[in-house]
Amino acid sequence: MKKKKMSFIICVVSVLLLLFSAVLNTMAHRRMLAESYVHAANLNTVGMVRRLDYAIGFGKPIEKFYGLELLMQNVMNLSEDILAVEVRDRQGKTAAGVGDAGRQVEQVSEGEEYRIQEDGVYSFTDFDAGQIVLRLDKEKMEKQMSAYISWLAKIILSITATILLVLVLYTLSGGREQADLHRVKVMSLVLLVGGQLVLGTFATVYDAVSYQDSVGHIAESAMHVVESDINEVLDKGMRFSELKGVDEYLENLCGDIEELSRMEMTGEGEAGGGETYLISLRDEQTPQLRVRAETNEELVRKKMVNHIVDTLIIIMVTIFVSLEMIGFVTSHLKQRSARKRGEMYFPGFRLFVFVSGIAFSLDSGFASILSRQLFDQMALPDSMSFLSGMPGTMQSLSIVMGLFGCGFFISRLGTKKTLLLGVSMGVAGYILCAAAVNLPMFIAARFVFGFCDGLVINTIRLYAASQVDAERHNKILVTYFAAINLGVCCSVVIGGLVADVSAYTAVFILGAVLGAVCLFLIGFSGFSDEKGGSRMLFTGALRELKYRRVWVFMLFLVVPIYIAPLFVEYTFPLFGDEIGFSNSLVSGCLMLNFLIIAYLTDPVSEWVNRHISARKAIVCYVFLQAAGIGQFVLFASAWSAVLALVLTSIWDCFGMVVIDSVLDDVKGTTGEKNTLLQMIFGKVGMVAGPVLVTAGLGRGAAGATGTIVVILLAGAGLYLAFNAMTGSV
């Protein structure tokens, strides 16, 4: 390809990825601004909450609280950002309100601090007998966002200009007119990754400055609370000099505001740490007073780290997308001439798996929350709360049905059309999820959506198993595991950001759009239209259990292997919560798991396949998993948890690839049927695992993880003992 055309392609990809990165950073910054803005506004309700809790402690109901409206009006007067104050009882009914409350906005889930609507930002503050709802003017936040977007646009234009300059110099440079693909790949990676790093660095610095400003606003809000509370007492006829317990009051107030470590009254010109604020008192003898607030530096550092981790995760996601795009473009240019009709085209296959991994995992972080919200809207008794789990149950059921039926569809339609059917079900499921206005509709939508996973994942695994060439079989699995893990890694971040700054509906629509792109990419992947295979593949797979080595392998190794991922998916996040890891830090650690699998699967699995037989490798895999997870159970520390996460990721790089080849030497069996059987027993492990592991949560997350280690060791021991007695090993 000529240099000019190649430079144009790189330029277009660079601009698109910079815009993609800008969107992610904008959503993250909007979330940070909203959290800080709401938190500062909610500080104005500290005194009100204290008084309500005190009165309710004596048995006084909210409706009989004397002066409630005056109290709310005082809160509203503390900040011009507060447009309305509303008090609701435990049933969500409005007891009193001042100002223009706007629409009736409900809390989606317990612990939700705010919701952004068109007419304002609604914040929720709980007290003993109900909830305080503030309607905040979001104009101030929107102005800050406009300033951020304007600043970000200047950075993007500067980076784009630099990239254009490099590409122009490359095009005009001497040498061959044709582009050297290796040199182009290196240059593209430097430009794209470098651009993302520069943009991410500037975004991190901007976020750090914004957060420091928000801490100042929090301290300023605290001063307004002090000013209001003292003036309220002075209005009753007392003088400031007659007040007692001021220091205790400041200490208690500071205890309610975690960002501040100390507050004190100061004299004129007194030195000291922290920021000093001037407050006005309605006392002729003491018209003004200074209050010094010292920031809780430890908390600020912790939150700064969380913000930095969030930004780094976004940088990593955009870099991964950049790497995939450049890898696809250069691989396509290199291999397109050798592409044969009816054969898998690996650049297209990897891109399809990567995009599908993003598309169909966007909702993984909030689907259960939405289910609970829709259940609450039905106002059903708590005894029927099991219905909130029905969307997940029905999705799992359809995944199993897709697993059992994919062999039939492959034999009737062929691999390509089966994949088209599966992706179409995913798109249709997302559209139905977006349209669902009640729980029954959402249950039906998740049932339809589940067929996507049930058909797509299992069809690809069966396609790999049908390959006669073992090297080609391994290459398909390696490509699949690398791309799908990378796609899911990016999807969790993207879906979470979109859900935070928009409605869940937007996430479903985005998933449907990306799913529609996958329909095109299936044709670009080179899957065959050829029909074949047994029409009763599921029944034929069950017949494989007549061979002793087959059912022993499935029962004693496959089931434990599919239980082991619960450490990553379940007990690691729980342990992170136990030791105080932030959600950002937990997410960053889990991303590390996906990354290792995505980028090390190819070299690790290739080395194992060359030096170790599949039968020995799978046993080594189980014992290595047990050892890696076991050291976490033994030490139960942060470093051992992260080490276990890294080790399990490395072992997965070869274990989940060789597992399909263990029974190849068993006469009378076929790879397709053994793979299908393995997936069936894997589902058994995935169903039984949560019950077995959660039974030990009373001992803590590390203690519960010990169950996984016991199952792995017991299964491997029984497998080896059985084969030793029968002479199979």
Side-chain angles (χ1 to χ4, degrees), residues 162 177 540:
T162 303
E177 177 67 17

Side-chain angles (χ1 to χ4, degrees), residues 478 600-610 653-654 657-658:
V478 166
L600 291 186
T601 295
D602 193 358
V604 172
S605 62
E606 183 179 354
W607 185 90
V608 170
N609 285 325
R610 285 181 179 179
C653 289
F654 71 89
V657 174
V658 301

Side-chain angles (χ1 to χ4, degrees), residues 667-681:
K667 294 182 179 180
T669 65
T670 63
E672 298 99 314
K673 293 177 182 178
N674 282 332
T675 297
L676 182 57
L677 199 59
Q678 175 209 135
M679 291 187 286
I680 294 170
F681 274 81

